[in-house]
Amino acid sequence: MNKMGTIIGFTFKNKVKTKSFMVTTIVLALLITIGLNIPYFITLFNGGSIGGGSSTNPVNIGLLSTGQTEVAEKLETYSSAQGNQTYRFVNDASKDEAALKADVESELLDGYLKFEPVAGQDFPQPILYSSEDISPQVIAPIEAALQIVKLDVVVKDTLTAEQKQLISTPVKLTEQSLDSDQSGAAAESEGTMSGINYIVVYLLIILLFTSTMMTGNMIASEITAEKSSRIMEILITSVSPLSQMFGKIIGIFMVGLLQIGIFGAVVAGNMLLPHNRDVLSDFNMNLSDVNVAVIVYGLIFYILGYFLYAVMFAAIGSMVSRTEELGQAVLPITMLSLVSFYIAIFSIATPNILLLKVASFIPFTSPTAILVRIGAGVAPTWQIWTSLAILVVSIMIFGWLAAKIYRTGVLMYGKRPTFKELFKAMKAYKI
């Protein structure tokens, strides 16, 4: 155990001190930071809030109420009643079009709304003037407000307030499967995933795939490099092959955890910035709405998924004598990981399909497949624990098999051994 601890510590320190680890971590952290702040950078380059407003920095739109005082007042009243908006109407009856245009040029306003009378119609044609293009994120709620005001102006007192509200409320189609239970709210919410949880699940799937591939290839290349340089012949005399294999796996696992911790801190730090919190609030997203079960189970399945793929990468690495052959040797494992990744990514919008249910119980695909179903709230507890149990048993079986392959493969040089040759050599050793 002491020797394994030494190998774990040596592998961890050796990898963390390499330039490739430092450069990769810094570059990825910078890319994450840039990616999370792209909307803010676009706003800066556009010269302010004209591109797209937020609840704390709304786009200011002047109202030209000349000849259309009733429409302007109703529009301002309705928009104010809606609370936080990406825009704000400024209604100053004393200003004509020339004054509003001057305010836009001096950047006191981002634009102004003019109401052009239309012959034969009770409602004018609204025209929005601005020095730059205004984001659809701002245009859409203004159009919705104009639609409400148009209804109010046209029907006047013919309809009650409740009837007007009913007419203006969009019709929402609720889909119900004939095979599902008729439990009302529970059935309606089945298969749905909130925006913030959708993002969390998506990021966890990408994290699991990229981390597994990076650390797995790191394990395989480390073993192959030691084998090709004949250092393995010296190590094998002082440390058992089993301690070597699991020492490297755990050491590189700690390297992966450190990198994930750094990236997690970068993401959290950026999301807590004021302008990014505004973006989340504009999309009705709150970090407090994150499903804790997704995070907890995501971490558990990440650890188990890592060890399943890690023992296979270690076994393959021990069978290869030259690093040039490693890429071809690990291709089957890479394909398995890609299958797991694509099944989860392409099924994230339909978490109740049969493919995802079956994949939840296959150890190579379960870490990502079950995570999608947990995020959507369609995975019963017994299925989650069954998937975990299958994954744990698979790790034990593949770990035992990988240990035998490693014990045999590290001292086999020359061409890559066939399965028949490997099986014969493995029979001579007992783990």
Side-chain angles (χ1 to χ4, degrees):
M1 185 61 71
N2 289 335
K3 291 181 179 180
M4 184 185 289
T6 303
I7 293 173
I8 293 171
F10 175 79
T11 303
F12 176 77
K13 292 176 183 176
N14 189 40
K15 288 296 178 184
V16 168
K17 291 178 181 178
T18 58
K19 288 183 179 179
S20 60
F21 173 82
M22 295 180 182
V23 171
T24 302
T25 304
I26 292 172
V27 169
L28 288 177
L30 287 174
L31 289 175
I32 291 171
T33 301
I34 292 171
L36 291 173
N37 290 280
I38 282 177
Y40 178 65
F41 292 146
I42 291 174
T43 302
L44 288 180
F45 287 126
N46 281 343
S49 62
I50 190 72
S54 65
S55 57
T56 57
N57 188 24
V59 172
N60 293 312
I61 306 293
L63 292 177
L64 184 59
S65 57
T66 306
Q68 298 291 341
T69 306
E70 181 188 6
V71 174
E73 289 178 351
K74 286 180 179 293
L75 186 61
E76 183 185 19
T77 302
Y78 173 80
S79 298
S80 300
Q82 299 308 303
N84 291 337
Q85 293 279 0
T86 55
Y87 65 93
R88 182 171 66 92
F89 286 130
V90 180
N91 187 12
D92 189 347
S94 63
K95 290 188 176 182
D96 57 9
E97 187 170 2
L100 290 174
K101 188 180 293 185
D103 286 345
V104 173
E105 291 174 353
S106 61
E107 297 185 355
L108 294 175
L109 295 174
D110 295 306
Y112 66 91
L113 193 61
K114 183 179 179 180
F115 302 99
E116 291 282 359
V118 179
Q121 294 187 15
D122 294 333
F123 194 78
Q125 173 62 47
I127 303 174
L128 180 60
Y129 293 92
S130 63
S131 57
E132 299 178 25
D133 290 337
I134 293 181
S135 168
Q137 183 183 348
V138 178
I139 296 293
I142 292 178
E143 288 179 338
L146 285 167
Q147 188 66 33
I148 299 296
V149 172
K150 178 181 179 180
L151 176 66
D152 193 35
V153 170
V154 172
V155 302
K156 300 186 185 301
D157 297 328
T158 307
L159 301 176
T160 64
E162 291 77 11
Q163 290 172 325
K164 292 177 183 178
Q165 184 177 5
L166 181 61
I167 292 174
S168 60
T169 302
V171 177
K172 183 179 180 182
L173 180 65
T174 301
E175 185 179 0
Q176 177 66 56
S177 173
L178 291 173
D179 297 328
S180 63
D181 60 319
Q182 307 297 321
S183 56
E188 289 182 11
S189 63
E190 184 180 3
T192 60
M193 194 185 307
S194 66
I196 191 69
N197 284 315
Y198 185 96
I199 293 172
V200 170
V201 170
Y202 199 91
L203 291 176
L204 284 174
I205 293 170
I206 295 174
L207 176 65
L208 180 61
F209 171 72
T210 55
S211 179
T212 300
M213 286 296 96
M214 288 174 62
T215 54
N217 280 284
M218 207 181 292
I219 291 168
S221 60
E222 177 88 2
I223 294 170
T224 304
E226 289 179 356
K227 182 179 176 181
S228 62
S229 64
R230 302 279 177 164
I231 294 175
M232 187 64 71
E233 296 177 358
I234 301 172
L235 292 174
I236 209 79
T237 58
S238 55
V239 183
S240 69
L242 206 60
S243 296
Q244 284 186 47
M245 186 183 81
F246 284 103
K248 291 181 185 299
I249 289 173
I250 296 172
I252 293 178
F253 171 68
M254 292 171 64
V255 173
L257 280 184
L258 174 63
Q259 207 167 36
I260 290 171
I262 293 171
F263 295 154
V266 170
V267 170
N270 279 281
M271 294 307 293
L272 291 175
L273 292 174
H275 56 266
N276 284 330
R277 294 176 71 178
D278 289 340
V279 171
L280 288 176
S281 63
D282 290 339
F283 286 96
N284 295 321
M285 294 183 186
N286 196 319
L287 293 177
S288 61
D289 295 333
V290 174
N291 188 351
V292 179
V294 174
I295 304 295
V296 174
Y297 282 120
L299 181 61
I300 294 172
F301 276 101
Y302 164 74
I303 294 172
L304 295 178
Y306 165 83
F307 277 102
L308 177 64
Y309 280 95
V311 294
M312 293 192 293
F313 272 108
I316 295 296
S318 68
M319 295 168 58
V320 179
S321 299
R322 296 185 302 170
T323 53
E324 294 83 1
E325 302 173 354
L326 188 60
Q328 184 180 359
V330 300
L331 185 59
I333 306 176
T334 304
M335 295 302 294
L336 271 177
S337 185
L338 280 170
V339 168
S340 173
F341 174 74
Y342 284 124
I343 285 176
I345 287 294
F346 290 131
S347 304
I348 197 168
T350 53
N352 243 344
I353 60 173
L354 180 61
L355 174 63
L356 209 58
K357 291 179 181 179
V358 174
S360 299
F361 301 103
I362 300 174
F364 305 110
T365 57
S366 62
T368 53
I370 196 70
L371 196 59
V372 173
R373 301 185 64 222
I374 292 171
V378 296
T381 305
W382 72 267
Q383 291 187 7
I384 298 173
W385 285 98
T386 303
S387 180
L388 278 173
I390 293 173
L391 193 53
V392 170
V393 172
S394 300
I395 291 170
M396 294 172 67
I397 294 172
F398 281 96
W400 172 81
L401 186 61
K404 295 203 73 169
I405 294 174
Y406 186 92
R407 175 69 178 84
T408 306
V410 288
L411 295 178
M412 296 180 71
Y413 293 92
K415 71 178 184 69
R416 197 190 315 166
T418 63
F419 285 107
K420 187 176 181 180
E421 293 170 341
L422 195 62
F423 181 72
K424 286 182 178 179
M426 284 168 60
K427 289 176 69 176
Y429 301 101
K430 293 183 179 180
I431 300 298

